[in-house]
Amino acid sequence: MPLRNKIRASAPTDRNSHQSRSTPPRTDSPWSPARLALTAFFAVDGFLFATWVVRIPDVRSQVNASHSALGLALLCLSIGAVLTMPVVGRLCLRYGSRPVTVGSLALLSLAVPLPAHTHSVAALGGVLLLFGAGYGGANVAMNSAAVDLVAQLRRPVMPSFHAGYSLGGLVGAGVGGLLAGTLSASWTLALGGLLGLVITAAAGVVLLRSPDAPQVAGGSSADETGGAGPRAGLIVVLLGLTALCTAYGEGAIADWTTLHLTDDVHASAGTAAAGYAAYAFAMTSGRVGGTWLSIRLGQTRLMPLGGLTAAAGMLVAALAPSVPLAIGGFVLVGLGLANLFPLAIARAGSAGGPQGVALASTLGYGGMLIGPVVIGFLADAAGLPLALTTVAVAAAAGALLPLTVRRR
């Protein structure tokens, strides 16, 4: 009898130990300290970038740049980001995505105040190269860390991280706008960088001390090798093209929405600003609810549905004859595009590890680069409303590409 009791007592222990070796433990609460810290990093990233964007006119006056010269200087930011992203992917493989996240956000926080202290276009371009390196590196490292955390939590929470970025951007734009009349650009950017360093230090301690996601027995080696062969590489490219289509629309809308509402739909400047704010709020709301939608609908349904919703909304926004209808179209675009980019990056990370995140992010950032430029040339040739319909075409392509990934 004692022997049988010992055998019975030991059986559940053996079964539990086998289960713990084969699957990662699921956190009791989905809002773990690591998730909160990583969400704070996403929010700081959006806050710092928005703080810089609202002070671009002041910096432009300070360096006495023409529109074309300012465009070349701003291009340096994008060049710095694109050149850094593949390097950061390799650094994440070697040192881990969490330490690289902390380092990238620290670099970004230190670079934010620098543009306000430049007095020539060349100096501004050089500073923005460093700014872009921090921004691009942070986006690759944060998304790589988020992919790992999603696997650890076993919940599709990737959209919530990007919701943090959107919320940070809204706060940064709002605070920057309020301070524009009272503080100089140098003081505003310096305070923003200081806040970024403080939050990076606090959230970094939490993130680095939190346990990493354990390796799943028999799982993919993508995290170790950066990919699982040509098939995984092709899937990452398709998902990167999905991110490109999404970012094409985001970049175009950010630069051309207010101009379209004022010039083509004859809205006032205040109404046009409110229209863009409605789009941004819709995107933030869509990302806040992205986890719930991913669970209810599934990612393979949510991504095509979002792309088609954005395509329909963009057609309405571009061709609507009235202001309320156009703004309603932009709201649909925000809701539709909200989860396409984060889910594409998450799936690219699952297929290709940090290198997959780096490649998909680089392609996505390329879409944000070419969107405003393509829209500008098409607007000169055929008018802005017709040019904006290319955003609908890109969104429809972003809806179809995930279906191709699913078949593969």
Side-chain angles (χ1 to χ4, degrees), residues 23 88 135 225:
T23 60
V88 171
Y135 183 72
T225 64

Side-chain angles (χ1 to χ4, degrees), residues 65-374:
S66 63
H67 285 90
S68 58
L70 179 65
L72 290 175
L74 294 175
L75 184 61
C76 290
L77 190 153
S78 301
I79 292 173
V82 170
L83 292 178
T84 304
M85 284 177 172
V87 177
V88 171
R90 290 192 289 271
L91 290 176
C92 289
L93 284 173
R94 183 169 183 177
Y95 300 107
S97 56
R98 294 184 179 185
V100 179
T101 296
V102 177
S104 299
L105 261 297
L107 175 62
L108 179 61
S109 300
L110 292 172
V112 163
L114 298 181
H117 299 282
T118 57
H119 299 282
S120 68
V121 175
L124 178 61
V127 163
L128 290 181
L129 281 173
L130 183 63
F131 189 114
Y135 183 72
N139 278 274
V140 171
M142 289 188 309
N143 279 294
S144 297
V147 168
D148 293 338
L149 195 56
V150 167
Q152 181 179 8
L153 295 174
R154 291 190 288 163
R155 290 173 59 87
V157 299
M158 191 67 161
S160 68
F161 295 118
H162 288 258
Y165 177 88
S166 298
L167 287 172
L170 288 175
V171 173
V175 172
L178 291 175
L179 296 179
T182 56
L183 287 180
S184 65
S186 59
W187 272 106
T188 302
L189 295 178
L191 291 175
L194 179 61
L195 179 62
L197 285 175
V198 171
I199 297 179
T200 297
V205 170
V206 176
L207 187 64
L208 295 177
R209 289 182 176 178
S210 299
D212 291 328
Q215 294 293 325
V216 181
S220 172
S221 60
D223 288 342
E224 298 176 1
T225 64
R231 183 180 181 184
L234 179 58
I235 291 175
V236 169
V237 169
L238 292 172
L239 291 166
L241 292 175
T242 302
L244 185 150
C245 292
T246 306
Y248 175 91
E250 291 187 36
I253 290 174
D255 285 2
W256 296 102
T257 294
T258 54
L259 190 62
H260 170 62
L261 289 173
T262 54
D263 291 2
D264 300 319
V265 198
H266 308 296
S268 65
T271 303
Y276 179 75
Y279 156 80
F281 183 78
M283 176 167 281
T284 304
S285 301
R287 287 175 170 174
V288 169
T291 298
W292 183 84
L293 289 172
S294 296
I295 294 173
R296 292 290 180 179
L297 301 178
Q299 296 180 20
T300 53
R301 294 180 182 176
L302 179 58
M303 294 178 72
L305 179 62
L308 294 176
T309 300
M314 193 66 244
L315 289 176
V316 172
L319 306 176
S322 64
V323 174
L325 197 58
I327 292 177
F330 281 120
V331 169
L332 286 178
V333 176
L335 291 172
L337 293 182
N339 296 301
L340 264 179
F341 190 92
L343 291 179
I345 297 298
R347 296 176 69 179
S350 298
Q355 290 288 69
V357 173
L359 176 58
S361 298
T362 303
L363 288 172
Y365 205 85
M368 191 168 290
L369 285 179
I370 66 175
V373 177
V374 171

